[in-house]
Structures are given as structure tokens and as C-alpha cells.
Amino acid sequence: MNKAEFTRRRKRLMQMMGESAVAILPAAPMRLRNRDVEYQYRPDSDFYYLTGFPEPEAVAVLIPGRKHAEYILFCREYNPETATWTGHMAGQEGAVRDYGADDSFPIDDIDDILPGMLENKQRVYYTMGTHPDFDQRLIGWVNRLRKQSRAGIHTPGEFVSLDHLLHDMRLIKSTQEIRAMKKAAKISAKAHIEAMQFCKPGTKEYQVEATILHSFMQQGARSSAYSSIVGGGANGCVLHYTQNTDTLKDGDLLLIDAGAEYDYYAADITRTFPVNGKYNKAQRAIYDIVLEAQQAAFERVKPGNHWNEPHEAAVETIADGLVKLGLIKGTTKKAIKDEKYRKFYMHRTGHWLGMDVHDVGDYKIDDEWRVFEPGMTLTVEPGIYISSEHKGVAKKWANIGIRIEDDVLVTKDGCDVITSDVPTDPLEIENIMA
Ligand code: GLY
Ligand code: MN
Ligand code: MN
């Protein structure tokens, strides 16, 4: 993302906010993993989306129409001693020179400076509840202003959730964002292929995970977008399995859900393949239904269609397939109406994708499903999960957990599958593994 992209975003948001408004965005705090050990820092996506500023201990303030500075960045003061411990920091000079702030102040001075910026403004755009400590400080500043009302100072009367404006912006991706997402998709697809080539019976799930992480980083992605799911056999039926500690067994399937983060944008891919390189008959039967469901869902992702249409298409295919195999009794129509398919397909067919793997953006507007528009990005990820806990199911189906997940960009007349470098065709997968 270049500097102009962040400037454009701030300008657009300020246009929507109008005059007499202030937006306040704190950076996410550092988090401890355990005593003295911090997690790798990753800025909050909303904050980064508007600033491109990678450091913790920062607060961005936007004041549309303010004469000498509309964009003010509070951040750490440059200090050579601190820099010895923490590495480079922008300081006030860098905030202006490199990150486009009109003005910058040390974060330690925020209590003295920020309340004055709220004076005589009507609306404060802020997201409550994400950073509770900061919520308290903001309330404190506002209360301080209230006490000065006799001196003729007005306190902002409205607190408006920043989410609505900002998340609507984040939902439609720009050219630069699409480029980053395609790169994340490409890196992730290659890593999945390498995992297929590496996998064999006797391997530990975390060794396959290591192959994926190695591939991400070798290709220039610093980290995953989320904890990888590498689940063999029964573990493939556990939707959020991330222990990845079991040994992979001959005859089992392996479900891998892993995606890289590249320049703050996520990919999210799932493939399910046989540990020994060859699907057995039962596995293929289920696999083919899931693949068909994904195709049916892709066809429904296009401008004018609404959010739930791909899901409805996937459900129809899955319910029909399970009825035909005898895994659901009765008719397809009844299986859908009574939601009998949910025993085997208990999640939805996708979610928005972007800086966050489960990205922001409303799925409904005024109780109506949102309509697809070009520039939206989402996952399409149907699955069928048959665990040994399912009663009355023949043994040959037990521990078959299959999900196929790809990332798509809504285009003018349909959608573009940006993760298609890693095949979903079962024969092609067997070829890669051979
Ligand atoms: N990897 C999380 C998901 O597929 O939603
Ligand atoms: Mn997903
Ligand atoms: Mn996923």
C-alpha cells in the first residue's frame, strides 16, 4: 500500500463525517503471551487501514476542516535509549514525514492535548468496546470538558460508532488492496501444494504445519492470517482444531485450513486430501458432493445476487447428495426444510475476507441480505463432517471431514476465484501427491 492510498482513505472518511466532527482511533495495545514475552505486534486493522502506522502506543485523530491540521498522530517520542531496546520508532518527525500526519505529538502528552481537540465539536466518531481502557480515558476527557461548560465550552453531544462508515469502506476493495489479496492468495496456494507433496503416513500434523509456515515466509509473508488447522482423520471433523499434534494415518483424510497474511491482507484456503495420496470410494463420494456444492455457490456470487444465495445453493447440493447416499432419510426438500443437513454441514458457506480473515462489513442491511457489488471479497467454503459420534451412520463414512475453501473477488459480471492455483479436482490432487 502506498502513502497516497492511506491519504485517500482518510479524506473519504472525513468527507463522510462532515464538519464539527472528530474521529479517534487508538492503536491496539501490545499483548503478553506470558511473563515478559510479548506476542508479535500486529496493529488493529481499522487503525492500520487509515494510518499505515505499524507501531503500538499511538492514537490517530481526524478533524475534518480543521485549519492547520486535520490528521493528528499521537505516537511514541523518539528516544535513542528506548530505540536500543525496541528498534526503530518514527517519533514526531517520522509521523509527519513518512506517515502523512499533518501534526504529531508525543503519546505521553495526550491527556493535555486531546481534550482541547474535542472542544465545541458536535460528534465524536469512535468504536466503543474494543479497547476498554481507552474507552475509560475518553470518557474522562469528555467529563473534564463538561466541567468547563460555564466557561462557554461545549462538549460533544453525540458519540457515533465509527464502524458503520469505516467498515463499509473496508468492504469494497481498491485496486491496491486487490493486488495484496491476490498475492496473499498466490502465496497460500503454493504452500498448500507443498503441504500435499510433503504429506505421508506417519508424519505429525505439526510437521505439515511447519511446511506451510516455511513456505509462507519463504515467499515473503511474515505470518499466517490465523492459526492453521491441520487435522487428520477425526480431527478434520473438529471445526476449530488447531492443536495439530497427532500422527497422520494411512487411509485417513487430512484437512488443512491455512492462509498467509501479506501486507496486512489475508488469504483463507482449505483443502482436504488423502494422507496416502489416494481417495477411497467413500471419501471420493463425499468429496464430490462438497466440490459440486462449491461450484454451485460460485455461480451465485455475482452483482445483484444477495449474500445468502451461494449458501442456499451449497445447502441444496449438499442436502441432495446426502439424501442420495442414504446419509439423510427422506426427500431433499424435507432435508432442507427441516434443516436435517445441519447434522453434517453446521457452518455457513463463507464470510467477508480482507485485512481480517473474518472481515468487517454488514451481511444484512435493514434485515435484508446484502447484495454483491464488484470489489467485495469473500470465501466460499462448503463442507461435510461425519464424525464417529454420528448415530446410525455406516462405518465407512466415519471420520470423513471435508471442506473446500477458496477466496473470490466479485467482478462486474460474476466472480474471480483468486486461490485457484491450488487445485480442487481430486485427480489433480492425487497427481500432485504421486
Ligand atoms: N479459517 C477460518 C475460516 O475458514 O473461517
Ligand atoms: Mn473461512
Ligand atoms: Mn478457513
Side-chain angles (χ1 to χ4, degrees), residues 398-418:
N399 300 329
I400 295 182
I402 293 174
R403 176 164 65 255
I404 306 174
E405 174 174 32
D406 281 284
D407 304 343
V408 306
L409 164 69
V410 183
T411 58
K412 252 188 9 251
D413 41 24
C415 71
D416 180 9
V417 182
I418 63 175

Short mmCIF file of all heavy atoms in Angstrom, two decimals, residues 398-418:
data_model
loop_
_atom_site.label_atom_id
_atom_site.label_comp_id
_atom_site.label_asym_id
_atom_site.label_seq_id
_atom_site.Cartn_x
_atom_site.Cartn_y
_atom_site.Cartn_z
N ALA A 398 -17.35 -42.92 8.66
CA ALA A 398 -16.89 -42.32 9.92
C ALA A 398 -15.57 -41.57 9.72
O ALA A 398 -14.67 -42.04 9.02
CB ALA A 398 -16.73 -43.39 10.99
N ASN A 399 -15.47 -40.40 10.34
CA ASN A 399 -14.26 -39.57 10.33
C ASN A 399 -13.90 -39.02 8.96
O ASN A 399 -12.73 -38.75 8.68
CB ASN A 399 -13.06 -40.31 10.94
CG ASN A 399 -13.33 -40.70 12.38
OD1 ASN A 399 -14.06 -39.98 13.08
ND2 ASN A 399 -12.81 -41.82 12.80
N ILE A 400 -14.92 -38.89 8.14
CA ILE A 400 -14.71 -38.16 6.90
C ILE A 400 -15.15 -36.72 7.14
O ILE A 400 -16.33 -36.44 7.29
CB ILE A 400 -15.51 -38.79 5.73
CG1 ILE A 400 -14.97 -40.20 5.44
CG2 ILE A 400 -15.42 -37.91 4.48
CD1 ILE A 400 -15.66 -40.89 4.27
N GLY A 401 -14.17 -35.82 7.22
CA GLY A 401 -14.47 -34.39 7.38
C GLY A 401 -13.85 -33.68 6.19
O GLY A 401 -12.63 -33.75 6.00
N ILE A 402 -14.69 -33.07 5.39
CA ILE A 402 -14.18 -32.45 4.16
C ILE A 402 -14.68 -31.02 4.04
O ILE A 402 -15.88 -30.75 4.16
CB ILE A 402 -14.63 -33.25 2.91
CG1 ILE A 402 -13.95 -34.63 2.92
CG2 ILE A 402 -14.26 -32.48 1.61
CD1 ILE A 402 -14.41 -35.57 1.83
N ARG A 403 -13.73 -30.09 3.82
CA ARG A 403 -14.10 -28.72 3.49
C ARG A 403 -13.24 -28.31 2.30
O ARG A 403 -12.07 -28.69 2.22
CB ARG A 403 -13.87 -27.76 4.67
CG ARG A 403 -14.15 -26.31 4.33
CD ARG A 403 -14.30 -25.39 5.56
NE ARG A 403 -13.10 -25.25 6.37
CZ ARG A 403 -12.90 -25.83 7.53
NH1 ARG A 403 -13.82 -26.62 8.06
NH2 ARG A 403 -11.78 -25.65 8.20
N ILE A 404 -13.83 -27.57 1.39
CA ILE A 404 -13.07 -26.99 0.27
C ILE A 404 -13.35 -25.50 0.32
O ILE A 404 -14.50 -25.07 0.23
CB ILE A 404 -13.51 -27.58 -1.09
CG1 ILE A 404 -13.44 -29.11 -1.06
CG2 ILE A 404 -12.63 -27.02 -2.20
CD1 ILE A 404 -14.00 -29.79 -2.32
N GLU A 405 -12.28 -24.73 0.49
CA GLU A 405 -12.46 -23.28 0.71
C GLU A 405 -11.57 -22.48 -0.24
O GLU A 405 -10.37 -22.68 -0.31
CB GLU A 405 -12.09 -22.92 2.15
CG GLU A 405 -12.12 -21.42 2.42
CD GLU A 405 -11.91 -21.05 3.88
OE1 GLU A 405 -11.18 -21.79 4.58
OE2 GLU A 405 -12.48 -20.03 4.32
N ASP A 406 -12.21 -21.57 -0.96
CA ASP A 406 -11.48 -20.67 -1.85
C ASP A 406 -11.91 -19.24 -1.59
O ASP A 406 -12.94 -18.99 -0.97
CB ASP A 406 -11.74 -21.04 -3.32
CG ASP A 406 -10.89 -22.23 -3.73
OD1 ASP A 406 -9.69 -22.05 -3.94
OD2 ASP A 406 -11.44 -23.36 -3.81
N ASP A 407 -11.08 -18.30 -2.10
CA ASP A 407 -11.33 -16.88 -1.92
C ASP A 407 -11.74 -16.29 -3.27
O ASP A 407 -11.09 -16.56 -4.27
CB ASP A 407 -10.07 -16.19 -1.41
CG ASP A 407 -9.56 -16.83 -0.12
OD1 ASP A 407 -10.35 -17.57 0.52
OD2 ASP A 407 -8.39 -16.63 0.23
N VAL A 408 -12.79 -15.49 -3.25
CA VAL A 408 -13.27 -14.94 -4.52
C VAL A 408 -13.45 -13.43 -4.43
O VAL A 408 -13.74 -12.86 -3.38
CB VAL A 408 -14.61 -15.59 -4.99
CG1 VAL A 408 -14.49 -17.10 -5.05
CG2 VAL A 408 -15.77 -15.18 -4.13
N LEU A 409 -13.26 -12.82 -5.59
CA LEU A 409 -13.46 -11.38 -5.77
C LEU A 409 -14.69 -11.21 -6.65
O LEU A 409 -14.77 -11.81 -7.72
CB LEU A 409 -12.22 -10.80 -6.46
CG LEU A 409 -12.33 -9.41 -7.09
CD1 LEU A 409 -12.47 -8.34 -6.00
CD2 LEU A 409 -11.09 -9.11 -7.95
N VAL A 410 -15.63 -10.39 -6.20
CA VAL A 410 -16.81 -10.12 -7.03
C VAL A 410 -16.38 -9.17 -8.16
O VAL A 410 -15.74 -8.15 -7.90
CB VAL A 410 -17.95 -9.48 -6.19
CG1 VAL A 410 -19.18 -9.26 -7.06
CG2 VAL A 410 -18.29 -10.34 -4.99
N THR A 411 -16.69 -9.57 -9.39
CA THR A 411 -16.33 -8.76 -10.55
C THR A 411 -17.59 -8.15 -11.16
O THR A 411 -18.68 -8.31 -10.61
CB THR A 411 -15.62 -9.63 -11.60
OG1 THR A 411 -16.50 -10.70 -11.96
CG2 THR A 411 -14.31 -10.20 -11.06
N LYS A 412 -17.45 -7.53 -12.34
CA LYS A 412 -18.59 -6.88 -12.99
C LYS A 412 -19.74 -7.84 -13.27
O LYS A 412 -20.90 -7.54 -13.11
CB LYS A 412 -18.14 -6.25 -14.31
CG LYS A 412 -18.09 -4.76 -14.24
CD LYS A 412 -17.83 -4.03 -15.55
CE LYS A 412 -17.84 -4.79 -16.84
NZ LYS A 412 -16.55 -4.96 -17.48
N ASP A 413 -19.34 -9.06 -13.72
CA ASP A 413 -20.41 -9.97 -14.13
C ASP A 413 -20.35 -11.34 -13.48
O ASP A 413 -20.94 -12.30 -13.97
CB ASP A 413 -20.43 -10.11 -15.67
CG ASP A 413 -19.03 -10.21 -16.24
OD1 ASP A 413 -18.13 -10.61 -15.47
OD2 ASP A 413 -18.84 -9.86 -17.41
N GLY A 414 -19.62 -11.46 -12.40
CA GLY A 414 -19.57 -12.77 -11.73
C GLY A 414 -18.54 -12.71 -10.63
O GLY A 414 -18.55 -11.79 -9.81
N CYS A 415 -17.65 -13.70 -10.59
CA CYS A 415 -16.59 -13.66 -9.58
C CYS A 415 -15.33 -14.33 -10.11
O CYS A 415 -15.37 -15.14 -11.04
CB CYS A 415 -17.05 -14.29 -8.28
SG CYS A 415 -17.25 -16.08 -8.35
N ASP A 416 -14.23 -13.95 -9.48
CA ASP A 416 -12.92 -14.43 -9.87
C ASP A 416 -12.38 -15.21 -8.67
O ASP A 416 -12.29 -14.66 -7.57
CB ASP A 416 -12.09 -13.16 -10.17
CG ASP A 416 -10.67 -13.47 -10.60
OD1 ASP A 416 -10.38 -14.66 -10.84
OD2 ASP A 416 -9.86 -12.52 -10.67
N VAL A 417 -12.07 -16.50 -8.88
CA VAL A 417 -11.53 -17.31 -7.77
C VAL A 417 -10.03 -17.05 -7.70
O VAL A 417 -9.28 -17.48 -8.57
CB VAL A 417 -11.80 -18.81 -8.00
CG1 VAL A 417 -11.27 -19.63 -6.82
CG2 VAL A 417 -13.29 -19.07 -8.20
N ILE A 418 -9.59 -16.32 -6.67
CA ILE A 418 -8.19 -15.87 -6.65
C ILE A 418 -7.24 -16.90 -6.04
O ILE A 418 -6.04 -16.69 -6.05
CB ILE A 418 -8.05 -14.49 -5.95
CG1 ILE A 418 -8.46 -14.55 -4.47
CG2 ILE A 418 -8.86 -13.42 -6.69
CD1 ILE A 418 -8.23 -13.24 -3.73
#
